Amino acid sequence: MTMQLQLIPPQYTVQSPEMLEAYRKRGGYSALEQVLGRNDRKWMLDEVKRSGLSGRGGAGFSAAMKWSFMPAEPSGPSYLCVNADESEPGTFKDRHLMERVPHLVLEGIILAAWAMRAERAFILLRYEYPNCRRILQQAIDEAREAGLLGQGLMGTDWSLEVVIRLGAGTYISGEEMALLETVEGNRAWPRQKPPFPAQRGVFGRPTTVNNVETLACVPLVIAAGVDEFAAMGSGKSTGPKLYCVSGHVKRPGLYEAPMTVTLKELIYDPRFGGGIRGDRVLKAVIPGGSSAPVLRPDEIDVPANFESLAKIGSMLGSAAIIVMDETVCMVRAAQNTAHFFDHETCGECTPCREGCHWMRQILDRIENGRGMEGDIDLMSDRLAAIEGQTICPFGEAVTWGLGSIVEKFRDEFQEHIRLGRCKYEAWQPAKEQMA
Amino acid sequence: MKLSEQTSQRIDALLAQAVRPREVLLVALELAQKECNYISPELAASLAERFGMTQADMEDVLTFYTVLHRAPVGRHVIRVCGTLPCAMAGSDGLVEHLSRELGVEPGGTTSDGLFTLHQVECLGLCEQAPAMLVDDQPYGKLTLQRVSEILQDYRRRSS
Ligand SMILES: Cc1cc2nc3c(=O)[nH]c(=O)nc-3n(C[C@H](O)[C@H](O)[C@H](O)COP(=O)(O)O)c2cc1C
Ligand code: SF4
Ligand code: FES
């Protein structure tokens, strides 16, 4: 049975998710049947490689490549960690996947685990996603009942357990080396690389960390056809993609599209964001979460994919597209982001911990009208002191995310300092709808 | 504060399935917190023993993870998102409004012990900004009036 090349059929909602019977009707678990029937791991890795599937967690790293680092003849258990910690500002795609099509995620987990000879998959789920937890657990229970999980699943001599483990309210747990610590029940201070997770991961065993959406693509690679998957999109940006559009568009929401779609279309096309609310003028777009450098309106006519955004000095990241219209004060946007980083830095490296704190203080005073001559250069210095000096990429995220706002909207920072105040209005909640 | 027999058994069941005990520590802490409202020093000590951890080790975990409470919290915990998409949609105004209605600053608990108010980072509900979570229940597209109604609902249910 072939599947359509689609991650989330729109009829499924958190109130009425796609459970086992419905999932089977769209070809669900036929990929697993096919893969276990062939019983050829090299074939499966080749297929995933040929599909061009790139990681959806932020870095866009080849899934097949990552899996191939796992030992082919492990001398003990290997593990898969499913990164469901989704905490990048503006990101909600993994929540939609887990709430609406839990079995697609689960089949992806089983397939990936099989390819890597993993015997246990830890789903590291953020605490703030209780609906995901409930629905995923129902799907796991259904799958177990149907013989798709557990000892000797589907008549093989392989066994897989899928367990849900909790993140507990910290952004850094989503960074893969910190995620390993969280799964082990330690404070989430990222480990130094090397050793890489495939060498020494959870409890010292070979481990691979993959994002929820990456794994959800795997059944489609096999059951919708590897050629079809590779043909959708371009370059290393293949297959269907979920975009999280938030901020000042008429229709904020989750949109699925091939990675040939442009940022401009995602913001203005009636099928997606539908344009700027109140037909105001666009001011800025963050294309991939808070770590992605901000773009100006003249930069958005580019495909929203890994290569095109990298080429213009930004990144697809978590595909969280935060849209800001002309009413937005960019100093305040930077201030808000600095508060996020200062709150979420794990504090393990001095340049990151102190740099975040400095940025917060400087931005607070500029926004509050107490900015000083030289503050802009001071920020650039502080940010430069972080880049390349930290254990995990959070440091670079701070540098790139905040640095780009300061650089591209320098005038606004200067104006705040010159005027000694912010001339923009406060951000207010929407007025009540009149009945 | 001691765990009920039932929660204790659930933790035993988790431990029985774990590769190593620590794998289920955060899940167990969350279960314990659900039952006892917060992780008191005695509870922390008894759980540390159960997980074969030192007290310092346990302290390290409890101080790191922000959803774990080491002091009593209200019956309902309100978490209002303050990250950029929600901030642009007026979440500061919601927090002020809640603060006024509840008579507490963010981080505080009402004197009747019913609510604790927190402003937190992105809840992954950004398409519904401004958004908040009350215990396990997400709420989006909030207005001041809607927030007041939600509070009323919780008050009514608990009286
Ligand atoms: C600070 C930080 C936070 C991250 N948070 C997440 C996250 O919440 N979810 C996620 O999938 N990846 C996150 N990542 C990326 C992961 O480290 C890792 O690259 C990803 O899970 C790999 O999955 P993939 O290869 O399937 O994309 C984060 C990275 C950093 C530096
Ligand atoms: S870069 Fe920042 S978040 Fe990453 S380990 Fe260092 S202090 Fe922690
Ligand atoms: S920014 Fe508020 S839920 Fe994401």
Side-chain angles (χ1 to χ4, degrees), chain A residues 55-58 61 66 83 85-87 171-172 174-176 209-211 214 393-394:
Chain A
R56 277 22 177 182
F61 194 78
K66 197 184 246 189
N83 195 337
D85 196 56
E86 189 162 74
S87 321
Y171 170 64
I172 197 63
E175 193 281 326
E176 65 178 357
V209 181
N210 272 130
N211 169 257
T214 312
F394 183 103

mmCIF file with all atom_site columns, all heavy atoms in Angstrom, chain A residues 55-58 61 66 83 85-87 171-172 174-176 209-211 214 393-394, ligand 1:
data_model
loop_
_atom_site.group_PDB
_atom_site.id
_atom_site.type_symbol
_atom_site.label_atom_id
_atom_site.label_alt_id
_atom_site.label_comp_id
_atom_site.label_asym_id
_atom_site.label_entity_id
_atom_site.label_seq_id
_atom_site.pdbx_PDB_ins_code
_atom_site.Cartn_x
_atom_site.Cartn_y
_atom_site.Cartn_z
_atom_site.occupancy
_atom_site.B_iso_or_equiv
_atom_site.pdbx_formal_charge
_atom_site.auth_seq_id
_atom_site.auth_comp_id
_atom_site.auth_asym_id
_atom_site.auth_atom_id
_atom_site.pdbx_PDB_model_num
ATOM   1   N N   . GLY A 1 55  ? 17.579 16.425 8.906  1.00 0.00 ? 55  GLY A N   1
ATOM   2   C CA  . GLY A 1 55  ? 17.012 16.570 10.249 1.00 0.00 ? 55  GLY A CA  1
ATOM   3   C C   . GLY A 1 55  ? 16.196 17.839 10.384 1.00 0.00 ? 55  GLY A C   1
ATOM   4   O O   . GLY A 1 55  ? 16.587 18.904 9.921  1.00 0.00 ? 55  GLY A O   1
ATOM   5   N N   . ARG A 1 56  ? 15.057 17.726 11.031 1.00 0.00 ? 56  ARG A N   1
ATOM   6   C CA  . ARG A 1 56  ? 14.129 18.853 11.196 1.00 0.00 ? 56  ARG A CA  1
ATOM   7   C C   . ARG A 1 56  ? 14.297 19.534 12.544 1.00 0.00 ? 56  ARG A C   1
ATOM   8   O O   . ARG A 1 56  ? 13.498 20.417 12.887 1.00 0.00 ? 56  ARG A O   1
ATOM   9   C CB  . ARG A 1 56  ? 12.692 18.338 11.111 1.00 0.00 ? 56  ARG A CB  1
ATOM   10  C CG  . ARG A 1 56  ? 11.987 18.098 9.785  1.00 0.00 ? 56  ARG A CG  1
ATOM   11  C CD  . ARG A 1 56  ? 12.772 17.886 8.558  1.00 0.00 ? 56  ARG A CD  1
ATOM   12  N NE  . ARG A 1 56  ? 11.872 17.612 7.408  1.00 0.00 ? 56  ARG A NE  1
ATOM   13  C CZ  . ARG A 1 56  ? 12.274 17.352 6.182  1.00 0.00 ? 56  ARG A CZ  1
ATOM   14  N NH1 . ARG A 1 56  ? 13.566 17.291 5.894  1.00 0.00 ? 56  ARG A NH1 1
ATOM   15  N NH2 . ARG A 1 56  ? 11.410 17.140 5.212  1.00 0.00 ? 56  ARG A NH2 1
ATOM   16  N N   . GLY A 1 57  ? 15.290 19.122 13.339 1.00 0.00 ? 57  GLY A N   1
ATOM   17  C CA  . GLY A 1 57  ? 15.435 19.670 14.694 1.00 0.00 ? 57  GLY A CA  1
ATOM   18  C C   . GLY A 1 57  ? 16.132 21.018 14.739 1.00 0.00 ? 57  GLY A C   1
ATOM   19  O O   . GLY A 1 57  ? 16.115 21.695 15.756 1.00 0.00 ? 57  GLY A O   1
ATOM   20  N N   . GLY A 1 58  ? 16.776 21.393 13.643 1.00 0.00 ? 58  GLY A N   1
ATOM   21  C CA  . GLY A 1 58  ? 17.439 22.695 13.651 1.00 0.00 ? 58  GLY A CA  1
ATOM   22  C C   . GLY A 1 58  ? 18.650 22.754 12.745 1.00 0.00 ? 58  GLY A C   1
ATOM   23  O O   . GLY A 1 58  ? 18.866 23.733 12.045 1.00 0.00 ? 58  GLY A O   1
ATOM   24  N N   . PHE A 1 61  ? 20.913 18.160 9.530  1.00 0.00 ? 61  PHE A N   1
ATOM   25  C CA  . PHE A 1 61  ? 21.915 17.121 9.285  1.00 0.00 ? 61  PHE A CA  1
ATOM   26  C C   . PHE A 1 61  ? 21.256 15.884 8.677  1.00 0.00 ? 61  PHE A C   1
ATOM   27  O O   . PHE A 1 61  ? 20.160 15.502 9.059  1.00 0.00 ? 61  PHE A O   1
ATOM   28  C CB  . PHE A 1 61  ? 22.590 16.755 10.614 1.00 0.00 ? 61  PHE A CB  1
ATOM   29  C CG  . PHE A 1 61  ? 23.846 15.957 10.454 1.00 0.00 ? 61  PHE A CG  1
ATOM   30  C CD1 . PHE A 1 61  ? 25.034 16.577 10.092 1.00 0.00 ? 61  PHE A CD1 1
ATOM   31  C CD2 . PHE A 1 61  ? 23.832 14.580 10.649 1.00 0.00 ? 61  PHE A CD2 1
ATOM   32  C CE1 . PHE A 1 61  ? 26.198 15.835 9.937  1.00 0.00 ? 61  PHE A CE1 1
ATOM   33  C CE2 . PHE A 1 61  ? 24.986 13.835 10.501 1.00 0.00 ? 61  PHE A CE2 1
ATOM   34  C CZ  . PHE A 1 61  ? 26.174 14.464 10.145 1.00 0.00 ? 61  PHE A CZ  1
ATOM   35  N N   . LYS A 1 66  ? 23.593 10.285 10.032 1.00 0.00 ? 66  LYS A N   1
ATOM   36  C CA  . LYS A 1 66  ? 23.616 10.199 11.490 1.00 0.00 ? 66  LYS A CA  1
ATOM   37  C C   . LYS A 1 66  ? 23.412 8.749  11.941 1.00 0.00 ? 66  LYS A C   1
ATOM   38  O O   . LYS A 1 66  ? 24.131 8.261  12.811 1.00 0.00 ? 66  LYS A O   1
ATOM   39  C CB  . LYS A 1 66  ? 22.504 11.087 12.060 1.00 0.00 ? 66  LYS A CB  1
ATOM   40  C CG  . LYS A 1 66  ? 22.661 11.408 13.522 1.00 0.00 ? 66  LYS A CG  1
ATOM   41  C CD  . LYS A 1 66  ? 21.475 12.215 14.018 1.00 0.00 ? 66  LYS A CD  1
ATOM   42  C CE  . LYS A 1 66  ? 21.865 13.610 14.409 1.00 0.00 ? 66  LYS A CE  1
ATOM   43  N NZ  . LYS A 1 66  ? 20.795 14.343 15.082 1.00 0.00 ? 66  LYS A NZ  1
ATOM   44  N N   . ASN A 1 83  ? 13.654 13.622 20.233 1.00 0.00 ? 83  ASN A N   1
ATOM   45  C CA  . ASN A 1 83  ? 13.676 14.971 20.802 1.00 0.00 ? 83  ASN A CA  1
ATOM   46  C C   . ASN A 1 83  ? 12.308 15.625 20.633 1.00 0.00 ? 83  ASN A C   1
ATOM   47  O O   . ASN A 1 83  ? 11.960 16.131 19.574 1.00 0.00 ? 83  ASN A O   1
ATOM   48  C CB  . ASN A 1 83  ? 14.770 15.803 20.131 1.00 0.00 ? 83  ASN A CB  1
ATOM   49  C CG  . ASN A 1 83  ? 15.097 17.069 20.900 1.00 0.00 ? 83  ASN A CG  1
ATOM   50  O OD1 . ASN A 1 83  ? 14.273 17.544 21.670 1.00 0.00 ? 83  ASN A OD1 1
ATOM   51  N ND2 . ASN A 1 83  ? 16.279 17.604 20.670 1.00 0.00 ? 83  ASN A ND2 1
ATOM   52  N N   . ASP A 1 85  ? 11.276 17.922 22.935 1.00 0.00 ? 85  ASP A N   1
ATOM   53  C CA  . ASP A 1 85  ? 11.375 18.962 23.962 1.00 0.00 ? 85  ASP A CA  1
ATOM   54  C C   . ASP A 1 85  ? 10.931 20.321 23.448 1.00 0.00 ? 85  ASP A C   1
ATOM   55  O O   . ASP A 1 85  ? 10.844 21.288 24.217 1.00 0.00 ? 85  ASP A O   1
ATOM   56  C CB  . ASP A 1 85  ? 12.810 19.048 24.489 1.00 0.00 ? 85  ASP A CB  1
ATOM   57  C CG  . ASP A 1 85  ? 12.871 19.824 25.796 1.00 0.00 ? 85  ASP A CG  1
ATOM   58  O OD1 . ASP A 1 85  ? 12.169 19.421 26.728 1.00 0.00 ? 85  ASP A OD1 1
ATOM   59  O OD2 . ASP A 1 85  ? 13.583 20.838 25.867 1.00 0.00 ? 85  ASP A OD2 1
ATOM   60  N N   . GLU A 1 86  ? 10.706 20.388 22.153 1.00 0.00 ? 86  GLU A N   1
ATOM   61  C CA  . GLU A 1 86  ? 10.237 21.602 21.455 1.00 0.00 ? 86  GLU A CA  1
ATOM   62  C C   . GLU A 1 86  ? 10.048 22.847 22.334 1.00 0.00 ? 86  GLU A C   1
ATOM   63  O O   . GLU A 1 86  ? 8.967  23.080 22.867 1.00 0.00 ? 86  GLU A O   1
ATOM   64  C CB  . GLU A 1 86  ? 8.927  21.284 20.748 1.00 0.00 ? 86  GLU A CB  1
ATOM   65  C CG  . GLU A 1 86  ? 8.478  22.406 19.822 1.00 0.00 ? 86  GLU A CG  1
ATOM   66  C CD  . GLU A 1 86  ? 7.439  21.916 18.818 1.00 0.00 ? 86  GLU A CD  1
ATOM   67  O OE1 . GLU A 1 86  ? 6.272  21.683 19.195 1.00 0.00 ? 86  GLU A OE1 1
ATOM   68  O OE2 . GLU A 1 86  ? 7.804  21.743 17.644 1.00 0.00 ? 86  GLU A OE2 1
ATOM   69  N N   . SER A 1 87  ? 11.064 23.657 22.421 1.00 0.00 ? 87  SER A N   1
ATOM   70  C CA  . SER A 1 87  ? 10.944 24.883 23.225 1.00 0.00 ? 87  SER A CA  1
ATOM   71  C C   . SER A 1 87  ? 11.496 26.110 22.526 1.00 0.00 ? 87  SER A C   1
ATOM   72  O O   . SER A 1 87  ? 11.608 27.168 23.143 1.00 0.00 ? 87  SER A O   1
ATOM   73  C CB  . SER A 1 87  ? 11.685 24.749 24.556 1.00 0.00 ? 87  SER A CB  1
ATOM   74  O OG  . SER A 1 87  ? 11.523 23.471 25.094 1.00 0.00 ? 87  SER A OG  1
ATOM   75  N N   . TYR A 1 171 ? 14.602 24.986 28.389 1.00 0.00 ? 171 TYR A N   1
ATOM   76  C CA  . TYR A 1 171 ? 14.894 25.002 26.952 1.00 0.00 ? 171 TYR A CA  1
ATOM   77  C C   . TYR A 1 171 ? 16.122 24.166 26.617 1.00 0.00 ? 171 TYR A C   1
ATOM   78  O O   . TYR A 1 171 ? 16.146 23.435 25.635 1.00 0.00 ? 171 TYR A O   1
ATOM   79  C CB  . TYR A 1 171 ? 15.118 26.462 26.557 1.00 0.00 ? 171 TYR A CB  1
ATOM   80  C CG  . TYR A 1 171 ? 15.655 26.736 25.181 1.00 0.00 ? 171 TYR A CG  1
ATOM   81  C CD1 . TYR A 1 171 ? 14.927 26.399 24.039 1.00 0.00 ? 171 TYR A CD1 1
ATOM   82  C CD2 . TYR A 1 171 ? 16.881 27.374 25.017 1.00 0.00 ? 171 TYR A CD2 1
ATOM   83  C CE1 . TYR A 1 171 ? 15.420 26.702 22.777 1.00 0.00 ? 171 TYR A CE1 1
ATOM   84  C CE2 . TYR A 1 171 ? 17.362 27.678 23.759 1.00 0.00 ? 171 TYR A CE2 1
ATOM   85  C CZ  . TYR A 1 171 ? 16.635 27.335 22.640 1.00 0.00 ? 171 TYR A CZ  1
ATOM   86  O OH  . TYR A 1 171 ? 17.116 27.642 21.401 1.00 0.00 ? 171 TYR A OH  1
ATOM   87  N N   . ILE A 1 172 ? 17.147 24.246 27.453 1.00 0.00 ? 172 ILE A N   1
ATOM   88  C CA  . ILE A 1 172 ? 18.415 23.613 27.112 1.00 0.00 ? 172 ILE A CA  1
ATOM   89  C C   . ILE A 1 172 ? 18.304 22.087 27.002 1.00 0.00 ? 172 ILE A C   1
ATOM   90  O O   . ILE A 1 172 ? 19.088 21.446 26.306 1.00 0.00 ? 172 ILE A O   1
ATOM   91  C CB  . ILE A 1 172 ? 19.538 24.031 28.107 1.00 0.00 ? 172 ILE A CB  1
ATOM   92  C CG1 . ILE A 1 172 ? 20.930 23.722 27.534 1.00 0.00 ? 172 ILE A CG1 1
ATOM   93  C CG2 . ILE A 1 172 ? 19.362 23.406 29.465 1.00 0.00 ? 172 ILE A CG2 1
ATOM   94  C CD1 . ILE A 1 172 ? 21.297 24.460 26.281 1.00 0.00 ? 172 ILE A CD1 1
ATOM   95  N N   . GLY A 1 174 ? 16.595 20.483 25.193 1.00 0.00 ? 174 GLY A N   1
ATOM   96  C CA  . GLY A 1 174 ? 16.424 20.110 23.791 1.00 0.00 ? 174 GLY A CA  1
ATOM   97  C C   . GLY A 1 174 ? 17.726 20.041 23.019 1.00 0.00 ? 174 GLY A C   1
ATOM   98  O O   . GLY A 1 174 ? 17.770 19.469 21.932 1.00 0.00 ? 174 GLY A O   1
ATOM   99  N N   . GLU A 1 175 ? 18.792 20.605 23.574 1.00 0.00 ? 175 GLU A N   1
ATOM   100 C CA  . GLU A 1 175 ? 20.100 20.494 22.918 1.00 0.00 ? 175 GLU A CA  1
ATOM   101 C C   . GLU A 1 175 ? 20.552 19.061 23.104 1.00 0.00 ? 175 GLU A C   1
ATOM   102 O O   . GLU A 1 175 ? 20.457 18.511 24.207 1.00 0.00 ? 175 GLU A O   1
ATOM   103 C CB  . GLU A 1 175 ? 21.074 21.489 23.570 1.00 0.00 ? 175 GLU A CB  1
ATOM   104 C CG  . GLU A 1 175 ? 22.355 21.696 22.807 1.00 0.00 ? 175 GLU A CG  1
ATOM   105 C CD  . GLU A 1 175 ? 23.373 20.598 23.009 1.00 0.00 ? 175 GLU A CD  1
ATOM   106 O OE1 . GLU A 1 175 ? 23.433 20.035 24.120 1.00 0.00 ? 175 GLU A OE1 1
ATOM   107 O OE2 . GLU A 1 175 ? 24.102 20.278 22.058 1.00 0.00 ? 175 GLU A OE2 1
ATOM   108 N N   . GLU A 1 176 ? 21.091 18.417 22.071 1.00 0.00 ? 176 GLU A N   1
ATOM   109 C CA  . GLU A 1 176 ? 21.180 16.961 22.160 1.00 0.00 ? 176 GLU A CA  1
ATOM   110 C C   . GLU A 1 176 ? 22.092 16.447 23.267 1.00 0.00 ? 176 GLU A C   1
ATOM   111 O O   . GLU A 1 176 ? 21.794 15.428 23.882 1.00 0.00 ? 176 GLU A O   1
ATOM   112 C CB  . GLU A 1 176 ? 21.520 16.331 20.817 1.00 0.00 ? 176 GLU A CB  1
ATOM   113 C CG  . GLU A 1 176 ? 22.870 16.653 20.261 1.00 0.00 ? 176 GLU A CG  1
ATOM   114 C CD  . GLU A 1 176 ? 23.116 15.932 18.937 1.00 0.00 ? 176 GLU A CD  1
ATOM   115 O OE1 . GLU A 1 176 ? 22.255 15.161 18.506 1.00 0.00 ? 176 GLU A OE1 1
ATOM   116 O OE2 . GLU A 1 176 ? 24.180 16.133 18.351 1.00 0.00 ? 176 GLU A OE2 1
ATOM   117 N N   . VAL A 1 209 ? 20.059 10.931 18.592 1.00 0.00 ? 209 VAL A N   1
ATOM   118 C CA  . VAL A 1 209 ? 18.983 11.862 18.934 1.00 0.00 ? 209 VAL A CA  1
ATOM   119 C C   . VAL A 1 209 ? 18.381 12.373 17.631 1.00 0.00 ? 209 VAL A C   1
ATOM   120 O O   . VAL A 1 209 ? 19.094 12.889 16.770 1.00 0.00 ? 209 VAL A O   1
ATOM   121 C CB  . VAL A 1 209 ? 19.515 13.064 19.752 1.00 0.00 ? 209 VAL A CB  1
ATOM   122 C CG1 . VAL A 1 209 ? 18.378 14.003 20.114 1.00 0.00 ? 209 VAL A CG1 1
ATOM   123 C CG2 . VAL A 1 209 ? 20.251 12.598 21.001 1.00 0.00 ? 209 VAL A CG2 1
ATOM   124 N N   . ASN A 1 210 ? 17.080 12.202 17.492 1.00 0.00 ? 210 ASN A N   1
ATOM   125 C CA  . ASN A 1 210 ? 16.381 12.735 16.319 1.00 0.00 ? 210 ASN A CA  1
ATOM   126 C C   . ASN A 1 210 ? 15.161 13.523 16.737 1.00 0.00 ? 210 ASN A C   1
ATOM   127 O O   . ASN A 1 210 ? 14.488 13.191 17.715 1.00 0.00 ? 210 ASN A O   1
ATOM   128 C CB  . ASN A 1 210 ? 15.916 11.610 15.383 1.00 0.00 ? 210 ASN A CB  1
ATOM   129 C CG  . ASN A 1 210 ? 16.958 11.203 14.362 1.00 0.00 ? 210 ASN A CG  1
ATOM   130 O OD1 . ASN A 1 210 ? 17.258 10.028 14.185 1.00 0.00 ? 210 ASN A OD1 1
ATOM   131 N ND2 . ASN A 1 210 ? 17.534 12.181 13.663 1.00 0.00 ? 210 ASN A ND2 1
ATOM   132 N N   . ASN A 1 211 ? 14.850 14.516 15.948 1.00 0.00 ? 211 ASN A N   1
ATOM   133 C CA  . ASN A 1 211 ? 13.671 15.336 16.170 1.00 0.00 ? 211 ASN A CA  1
ATOM   134 C C   . ASN A 1 211 ? 12.393 14.561 15.781 1.00 0.00 ? 211 ASN A C   1
ATOM   135 O O   . ASN A 1 211 ? 12.432 13.680 14.919 1.00 0.00 ? 211 ASN A O   1
ATOM   136 C CB  . ASN A 1 211 ? 13.824 16.609 15.328 1.00 0.00 ? 211 ASN A CB  1
ATOM   137 C CG  . ASN A 1 211 ? 12.564 17.425 15.268 1.00 0.00 ? 211 ASN A CG  1
ATOM   138 O OD1 . ASN A 1 211 ? 11.841 17.413 14.287 1.00 0.00 ? 211 ASN A OD1 1
ATOM   139 N ND2 . ASN A 1 211 ? 12.286 18.149 16.334 1.00 0.00 ? 211 ASN A ND2 1
ATOM   140 N N   . THR A 1 214 ? 11.569 14.779 11.998 1.00 0.00 ? 214 THR A N   1
ATOM   141 C CA  . THR A 1 214 ? 12.480 13.955 11.208 1.00 0.00 ? 214 THR A CA  1
ATOM   142 C C   . THR A 1 214 ? 11.959 12.516 11.175 1.00 0.00 ? 214 THR A C   1
ATOM   143 O O   . THR A 1 214 ? 11.863 11.888 10.116 1.00 0.00 ? 214 THR A O   1
ATOM   144 C CB  . THR A 1 214 ? 13.894 13.949 11.837 1.00 0.00 ? 214 THR A CB  1
ATOM   145 O OG1 . THR A 1 214 ? 14.289 15.274 12.140 1.00 0.00 ? 214 THR A OG1 1
ATOM   146 C CG2 . THR A 1 214 ? 14.900 13.292 10.910 1.00 0.00 ? 214 THR A CG2 1
ATOM   147 N N   . PRO A 1 393 ? 25.879 24.904 21.163 1.00 0.00 ? 393 PRO A N   1
ATOM   148 C CA  . PRO A 1 393 ? 25.564 25.957 20.188 1.00 0.00 ? 393 PRO A CA  1
ATOM   149 C C   . PRO A 1 393 ? 24.604 27.035 20.672 1.00 0.00 ? 393 PRO A C   1
ATOM   150 O O   . PRO A 1 393 ? 24.307 27.965 19.932 1.00 0.00 ? 393 PRO A O   1
ATOM   151 C CB  . PRO A 1 393 ? 24.918 25.184 19.027 1.00 0.00 ? 393 PRO A CB  1
ATOM   152 C CG  . PRO A 1 393 ? 25.122 23.751 19.299 1.00 0.00 ? 393 PRO A CG  1
ATOM   153 C CD  . PRO A 1 393 ? 25.356 23.597 20.764 1.00 0.00 ? 393 PRO A CD  1
ATOM   154 N N   . PHE A 1 394 ? 24.134 26.925 21.902 1.00 0.00 ? 394 PHE A N   1
ATOM   155 C CA  . PHE A 1 394 ? 23.286 27.976 22.465 1.00 0.00 ? 394 PHE A CA  1
ATOM   156 C C   . PHE A 1 394 ? 24.018 29.325 22.376 1.00 0.00 ? 394 PHE A C   1
ATOM   157 O O   . PHE A 1 394 ? 23.415 30.360 22.087 1.00 0.00 ? 394 PHE A O   1
ATOM   158 C CB  . PHE A 1 394 ? 22.994 27.634 23.936 1.00 0.00 ? 394 PHE A CB  1
ATOM   159 C CG  . PHE A 1 394 ? 22.075 28.585 24.661 1.00 0.00 ? 394 PHE A CG  1
ATOM   160 C CD1 . PHE A 1 394 ? 20.759 28.253 24.904 1.00 0.00 ? 394 PHE A CD1 1
ATOM   161 C CD2 . PHE A 1 394 ? 22.543 29.800 25.159 1.00 0.00 ? 394 PHE A CD2 1
ATOM   162 C CE1 . PHE A 1 394 ? 19.919 29.112 25.611 1.00 0.00 ? 394 PHE A CE1 1
ATOM   163 C CE2 . PHE A 1 394 ? 21.720 30.663 25.858 1.00 0.00 ? 394 PHE A CE2 1
ATOM   164 C CZ  . PHE A 1 394 ? 20.399 30.315 26.088 1.00 0.00 ? 394 PHE A CZ  1
HETATM 165 C C1  . LIG C 2 .   ? 19.875 25.334 22.629 1.00 0.00 ? 1   LIG C C1  1
HETATM 166 C C2  . LIG C 2 .   ? 19.351 24.281 21.708 1.00 0.00 ? 1   LIG C C2  1
HETATM 167 C C3  . LIG C 2 .   ? 18.046 23.828 21.842 1.00 0.00 ? 1   LIG C C3  1
HETATM 168 C C4  . LIG C 2 .   ? 17.540 22.848 21.002 1.00 0.00 ? 1   LIG C C4  1
HETATM 169 N N1  . LIG C 2 .   ? 16.249 22.452 21.165 1.00 0.00 ? 1   LIG C N1  1
HETATM 170 C C5  . LIG C 2 .   ? 15.765 21.480 20.349 1.00 0.00 ? 1   LIG C C5  1
HETATM 171 C C6  . LIG C 2 .   ? 14.424 21.021 20.500 1.00 0.00 ? 1   LIG C C6  1
HETATM 172 O O1  . LIG C 2 .   ? 13.673 21.501 21.354 1.00 0.00 ? 1   LIG C O1  1
HETATM 173 N N2  . LIG C 2 .   ? 13.985 20.040 19.675 1.00 0.00 ? 1   LIG C N2  1
HETATM 174 C C7  . LIG C 2 .   ? 14.799 19.496 18.719 1.00 0.00 ? 1   LIG C C7  1
HETATM 175 O O2  . LIG C 2 .   ? 14.381 18.589 18.016 1.00 0.00 ? 1   LIG C O2  1
HETATM 176 N N3  . LIG C 2 .   ? 16.060 19.909 18.554 1.00 0.00 ? 1   LIG C N3  1
HETATM 177 C C8  . LIG C 2 .   ? 16.562 20.881 19.343 1.00 0.00 ? 1   LIG C C8  1
HETATM 178 N N4  . LIG C 2 .   ? 17.864 21.275 19.176 1.00 0.00 ? 1   LIG C N4  1
HETATM 179 C C9  . LIG C 2 .   ? 18.696 20.565 18.184 1.00 0.00 ? 1   LIG C C9  1
HETATM 180 C C10 . LIG C 2 .   ? 19.258 19.277 18.775 1.00 0.00 ? 1   LIG C C10 1
HETATM 181 O O3  . LIG C 2 .   ? 20.474 19.570 19.437 1.00 0.00 ? 1   LIG C O3  1
HETATM 182 C C11 . LIG C 2 .   ? 19.559 18.223 17.732 1.00 0.00 ? 1   LIG C C11 1
HETATM 183 O O4  . LIG C 2 .   ? 20.360 18.795 16.746 1.00 0.00 ? 1   LIG C O4  1
HETATM 184 C C12 . LIG C 2 .   ? 18.323 17.658 17.061 1.00 0.00 ? 1   LIG C C12 1
HETATM 185 O O5  . LIG C 2 .   ? 17.426 17.152 17.992 1.00 0.00 ? 1   LIG C O5  1
HETATM 186 C C13 . LIG C 2 .   ? 18.735 16.558 16.124 1.00 0.00 ? 1   LIG C C13 1
HETATM 187 O O6  . LIG C 2 .   ? 17.625 16.013 15.461 1.00 0.00 ? 1   LIG C O6  1
HETATM 188 P P1  . LIG C 2 .   ? 17.558 15.893 13.886 1.00 0.00 ? 1   LIG C P1  1
HETATM 189 O O7  . LIG C 2 .   ? 18.919 15.425 13.412 1.00 0.00 ? 1   LIG C O7  1
HETATM 190 O O8  . LIG C 2 .   ? 16.499 14.905 13.653 1.00 0.00 ? 1   LIG C O8  1
HETATM 191 O O9  . LIG C 2 .   ? 17.252 17.250 13.379 1.00 0.00 ? 1   LIG C O9  1
HETATM 192 C C14 . LIG C 2 .   ? 18.376 22.277 20.003 1.00 0.00 ? 1   LIG C C14 1
HETATM 193 C C15 . LIG C 2 .   ? 19.676 22.748 19.865 1.00 0.00 ? 1   LIG C C15 1
HETATM 194 C C16 . LIG C 2 .   ? 20.165 23.732 20.695 1.00 0.00 ? 1   LIG C C16 1
HETATM 195 C C17 . LIG C 2 .   ? 21.558 24.213 20.509 1.00 0.00 ? 1   LIG C C17 1
#
